[in-house]
Amino acid sequence: MVSNYLKLQYKLLVRHIKATGIPVPIAYLLLFGLCYLIYYALFQYPNFGYYALILGNFQLLFLLTEKNRNDFLKNTFSRRDFYKIRLWENAVVVIPSFVILLLQSHWPYALFLIVLAVLFAFLTFKAFGKSIPTPFAKKPFEFIIGFRRSYLLLITLYLLAGIGFYVANPNLVLFCVACIGLTCVLFYQLPEPIFYLWNDNHTPSGFLMRKFRRGILQCLLFAFPLLLIYVLLFPSALFNACIVLGGIFFLLPFAITLKYVAYPREINFPEGFALVLCFSFFPLIFALLPFYYIKAVNNLKNYL
């Protein structure tokens, strides 16, 4: 039963890859290339690269603990098989990072990752539903869903930022704010149903501008309190805070634009690649944002 379930999940993964238009062998090569980039980035940014890697795995493991999904597995499989499946899933998720950490000779981080994978196999979180209140209104659904999917990661980032303030480490605080901004960018992966757009009376440009305003304001609800305390405690690092704030002001609209370039499908490889490029070399966003903005406006004319 367990092997059949895992084979089924593999087939679903292959179908998702084919749906992006990428041949499966090329997808494996891209995954290998991504792992190499992470390995290389850990050399360049050793102070925070490990935190980012652990936090990324933390979020992936958290998504696998979603209650409805786990209830389905519990109702379908025996208790023993359920935990086997959860352990296998978590192992598949953390193995690439575990290998990278071993290659970097960072045993404590690698062991911590294994502990996280085992621990999360026995946890279930209700990520969706009315029981988790959000500070957002109903219409911008991205932040409601994103918040309920990522609240544990956001709490962790706030705790890390608190530690950064306590030990007077401004770089750790700024790293946490940047991670919060990146988490908000990832909220825009899911496209809304087409009738949401049919009911909207804005022009494509007006629609996008409204999305930009709401997205930035909602992201600042998370990031601005930390940035304000950061500037008050470390006034000499004001320029660094402005850079991170500028990143939020441009990267979030860029992610929204990419979403509506791809609409009604989900963002896949071409858009994701553009986002990664801009995140890696930020000035590129000033050249790509106008280009993709025009493409998004033209695409939205078909639905608004």
Side-chain angles (χ1 to χ4, degrees), residues 6 13 16 35 42 53 61 66 91 96 119 127 159 174 176 229 241 289 295:
L6 295 175
L13 176 64
H16 281 300
C35 290
L42 290 179
L53 196 59
L61 292 172
E66 201 272 318
L119 179 64
L159 289 174
L174 216 55
C176 292
I229 299 171
L289 182 56
K295 286 188 72 172

Side-chain angles (χ1 to χ4, degrees), residues 9-24:
Q9 293 304 308
Y10 177 74
K11 284 185 179 179
L12 288 173
L13 176 64
V14 169
R15 285 181 182 174
H16 281 300
I17 293 172
K18 287 180 178 176
T20 65
I22 303 173
V24 176

Side-chain angles (χ1 to χ4, degrees), residues 11-254:
K11 284 185 179 179
L12 288 173
L13 176 64
V14 169
R15 285 181 182 174
H16 281 300
I17 293 172
K18 287 180 178 176
T20 65
I22 303 173
V24 176
I26 299 296
Y28 291 142
L29 287 176
L30 289 173
L31 178 63
F32 180 78
L34 177 65
C35 290
Y36 179 77
L37 282 176
I38 293 172
Y39 182 79
Y40 178 76
L42 290 179
F43 271 118
Q44 302 301 314
Y45 307 101
N47 290 335
F48 300 112
Y50 302 109
Y51 288 128
L53 196 59
I54 295 292
L55 286 172
N57 281 273
F58 180 89
Q59 174 64 8
L60 290 174
L61 292 172
F62 176 60
L63 290 177
L64 291 175
T65 63
E66 201 272 318
K67 186 176 184 306
N68 292 336
R69 174 180 176 281
N70 281 277
D71 284 347
F72 169 77
L73 291 176
K74 285 176 183 174
N75 292 331
T76 308
F77 299 98
S78 66
R79 186 181 179 85
R80 184 178 178 182
D81 286 347
F82 166 75
Y83 287 115
K84 276 186 182 177
I85 288 170
R86 292 291 295 112
L87 287 169
W88 269 107
E89 287 178 333
N90 288 0
V92 169
V93 167
V94 302
I95 276 176
S97 301
F98 178 75
V99 173
I100 290 171
L101 290 170
L102 284 187
L103 291 175
Q104 294 270 7
S105 302
H106 280 276
W107 285 91
Y109 290 108
L111 289 175
F112 180 66
L113 206 55
I114 294 298
V115 171
L116 271 185
V118 174
L119 179 64
F120 272 67
F122 296 92
L123 297 178
T124 300
F125 291 98
K126 190 173 183 180
F128 299 95
K130 296 180 181 178
S131 59
I132 302 176
T134 76
F136 310 111
K138 290 182 179 177
K139 284 187 179 179
F141 75 100
E142 291 95 344
F143 269 73
I144 294 177
I145 294 177
F147 177 79
R148 287 174 177 161
R149 281 184 167 185
S150 310
Y151 69 91
L152 206 55
L153 177 64
L154 293 169
I155 291 171
T156 304
L157 287 170
Y158 260 80
L159 289 174
L160 272 179
I163 293 171
F165 286 127
Y166 182 73
V167 299
N169 185 341
N171 291 330
L172 179 59
V173 178
L174 216 55
F175 168 78
C176 292
V177 176
C179 285
I180 288 173
L182 187 60
T183 302
C184 293
V185 164
L186 297 178
F187 290 173
Y188 287 90
Q189 287 178 304
L190 293 176
E192 61 264 60
I194 287 180
F195 64 84
Y196 278 29
L197 272 66
W198 289 346
N199 289 329
D200 197 286
N201 59 357
H202 290 83
T203 62
S205 296
F207 176 83
L208 282 177
M209 287 300 168
R210 190 182 55 149
K211 282 275 184 178
F212 292 170
R213 283 195 301 273
R214 284 183 172 176
I216 290 171
L217 285 173
Q218 289 169 336
C219 182
L220 289 180
L221 278 178
F222 293 127
F224 190 72
L226 290 177
L227 280 178
L228 184 61
I229 299 171
Y230 176 86
V231 172
L232 291 175
L233 293 181
F234 313 109
S236 60
L238 176 63
F239 180 70
N240 294 337
C242 291
I243 290 177
V244 173
L245 193 63
I248 291 173
F249 274 100
F250 284 96
L251 202 59
L252 201 68
F254 187 59

